[in-house]
Amino acid sequence: MPETPQGQPGPLDGLPLLEDLPDVQGSRVLVRVDFNVPLEHGAGGEVVVADDFRIRAALPTLSWLVDRGADVTACTHLGRPKGTVDPRFDVAPVRERLAELAPAVGLLENLRFDPGEEANDAGFVAQLVDGFDAYVNDAFGATHRVHASIVGPPRYLPSAAGRLLAREVEVLGGLRVDPARPFVAVVGGSKVGEKLGVLRALLESVDHLIVGGGMAFTFLAAQGHTVGASLLDAGRIDSCARLLEEAGDRIVLPTDIVALGPGGAVGEGGSGRGEVRMVGVDIPRGWRGLDIGPESAGTFADIVAPAGTVFWNGPMGVFEDDRFAAGTETVARAVAGTKGFSIVGGGDSVSALERLGLAGRVGYVSTGGGASLELLEHGDLPGLEALRHASNAPARGT
Ligand code: 3PG
Ligand code: MG
């Protein structure tokens, strides 16, 4: 097992890999994948997969198994049907795309049609593993969930982390160990409450933590600014104030904001309505800050450009609306253009990159949003821990 410079075990320590499975020739292998992909209506009105990134990302594992003579069945969740059979979350369109990419691999029905999946019900686990000889987890994006298909099978079957899961753990886990400096994290999106833990963890190692998107307003409020009608998590103002106090100028906040006037509406592309103005960091009453301004975007880009490592999660504004897309675009270009190693996680940041045709210029695009943040925060995930307890797992530190 590769060791870190400090002699600590690396992020893959103790994790069984595909090579640790008993010979798979002729055996039936259950592969948990994260094919929770966006769907859209095709030309004829049929539902199709809008973005197959997560499906393609599992192909190395699926073909490794198929090439070695395994009989491979994949299983995934799709959306949040909450334990009932809901036709909107039927995996049929996913199955069709998979049949084009990996014709030998079958796909079970949506795991979350059964309440046992999210409840991590022992009976559902038993049903799931029935008839299989081995289990592989390649569902990085769902490995932070304590769900039946993620944590259950390693108790019953020889198990392994697939190629995608292992690579995600290596890259994101590596950020906690020895990132090339300066290490810059750019975090946006709306949910400050969900991200406080990871911000705190990032502050242990980053040189600069750039905060944009809807979550920036709770930080600005903590500095005493007025936020108008912008997104605000009033219960988190004190926590943000504490982080600002501890981190000093390592936390970088916007200095100007693009705001939408009272009565205005956000729309897709060019369909939004209402007056849009550039304001400072004190937002007028009734106005909603929906993007960072050009000065902030320029500052953020200047910090990102010379970075040795950049981690980006979450958009800088409501970029689906063209009027509030510029901040995210500037940051996306800066991340893609950085000299150092860039890592992007989270569905929104990845779709912003894809929209700009920049996904290929990023060092590593993670298939996980929440999972990548939890791995950065805790250094481990429930599904990884389950795999390390499988009967065929290598001893730690070997
Ligand atoms: C995701 O898309 O973030 C993952 O597939 C996990 O989905 P969940 O947030 O519904 O558990
Ligand atoms: Mg999610």
Side-chain angles (χ1 to χ4, degrees):
M1 184 56 54
E3 300 235 322
T4 65
Q6 290 82 25
Q8 302 152 356
L12 296 178
D13 188 40
L15 206 61
L17 304 177
L18 293 176
E19 290 75 8
D20 296 308
L21 289 175
D23 183 9
V24 297
Q25 164 68 44
S27 70
R28 288 152 304 178
V29 181
L30 177 68
V31 185
R32 175 50 156 113
V33 287
D34 181 357
F35 290 170
N36 185 27
V37 294
L39 302 175
E40 66 185 5
H41 287 279
E46 75 286 11
V47 180
V48 295
V49 170
D51 177 0
D52 64 2
F53 172 54
R54 280 179 164 176
I55 304 178
R56 285 181 287 110
L59 293 178
T61 294
L62 298 176
S63 33
W64 191 95
L65 292 164
V66 169
D67 291 351
R68 281 160 186 75
D71 175 3
V72 182
T73 301
C75 60
T76 185
H77 72 285
L78 179 65
R80 294 178 174 174
K82 301 209 181 309
T84 55
V85 177
D86 181 334
R88 289 174 303 163
F89 302 112
D90 193 328
V91 298
V94 178
R95 193 177 280 136
E96 263 172 53
R97 185 70 187 119
L98 179 64
E100 290 164 2
L101 296 168
V105 177
L107 183 66
L108 300 181
E109 76 167 24
N110 190 341
L111 292 162
R112 290 187 186 170
F113 281 179
D114 193 305
E117 166 66 355
E118 291 185 71
N120 187 21
D121 175 72
F124 185 64
V125 175
Q127 200 182 308
L128 202 56
V129 299
D130 187 39
F132 288 102
D133 306 305
Y135 166 79
V136 173
N137 179 353
D138 215 20
F140 175 66
T143 294
H144 59 317
R145 302 290 182 215
V146 185
H147 293 173
S149 65
I150 298 288
V151 297
R155 285 197 298 269
Y156 299 92
L157 299 175
S159 298
R163 288 286 186 261
L164 170 65
L165 179 61
R167 180 76 183 134
E168 297 268 14
V169 170
E170 203 173 22
V171 172
L172 292 156
L175 278 185
R176 287 175 52 98
V177 183
D178 190 26
R181 295 195 177 272
F183 176 18
V184 178
V186 186
V187 183
S190 53
K191 299 169 201 147
V192 69
E194 279 181 19
K195 293 189 184 172
L196 276 176
V198 75
L199 295 185
R200 205 168 285 125
L202 283 169
L203 281 168
E204 310 248 309
S205 54
V206 294
D207 297 288
H208 305 280
L209 173 61
I210 295 172
V211 179
M215 59 191 285
F217 296 103
T218 305
F219 281 92
L220 291 171
Q223 288 184 328
H225 295 290
T226 60
V227 299
S230 309
L231 200 71
L232 176 71
D233 189 340
R236 262 52 186 240
I237 294 176
D238 286 349
S239 310
C240 290
R242 265 196 304 279
L243 274 189
L244 285 167
E245 207 177 304
E246 287 162 24
D249 58 10
R250 284 194 301 140
I251 296 185
V252 184
L253 295 172
T255 49
D256 57 349
I257 295 291
V258 185
L260 178 65
V266 170
E268 283 277 319
S271 70
R273 288 179 291 101
E275 192 186 340
V276 174
R277 251 192 235 165
M278 209 70 70
V279 297
V281 280
D282 285 297
I283 320 283
R285 197 190 180 109
W287 288 69
R288 264 192 293 164
L290 294 176
D291 192 16
I292 57 170
E295 179 182 274
S296 314
T299 307
F300 293 4
D302 287 346
I303 296 172
V304 163
T309 310
V310 183
F311 172 74
W312 177 31
N313 173 285
M316 298 293 103
V318 185
F319 70 98
E320 310 79 70
D321 185 320
D322 293 345
R323 301 170 300 169
F324 309 110
T328 301
E329 287 185 13
T330 302
V331 165
R333 287 187 204 290
V335 170
T338 186
K339 289 202 307 259
F341 186 57
S342 51
I343 302 169
V344 181
D348 289 334
S349 329
V350 175
S351 43
L353 277 175
E354 278 175 352
R355 228 169 82 152
L356 296 166
L358 295 173
R361 288 181 44 204
V362 165
Y364 188 75
V365 180
S366 174
T367 54
S372 62
L373 295 179
E374 286 212 19
L375 183 57
L376 283 177
E377 181 177 350
H378 303 295
D380 201 9
L381 297 172
L384 301 176
E385 155 122 44
L387 287 172
R388 288 193 303 263
H389 282 102
S391 59
N392 61 315
R396 298 198 76 164
T398 53

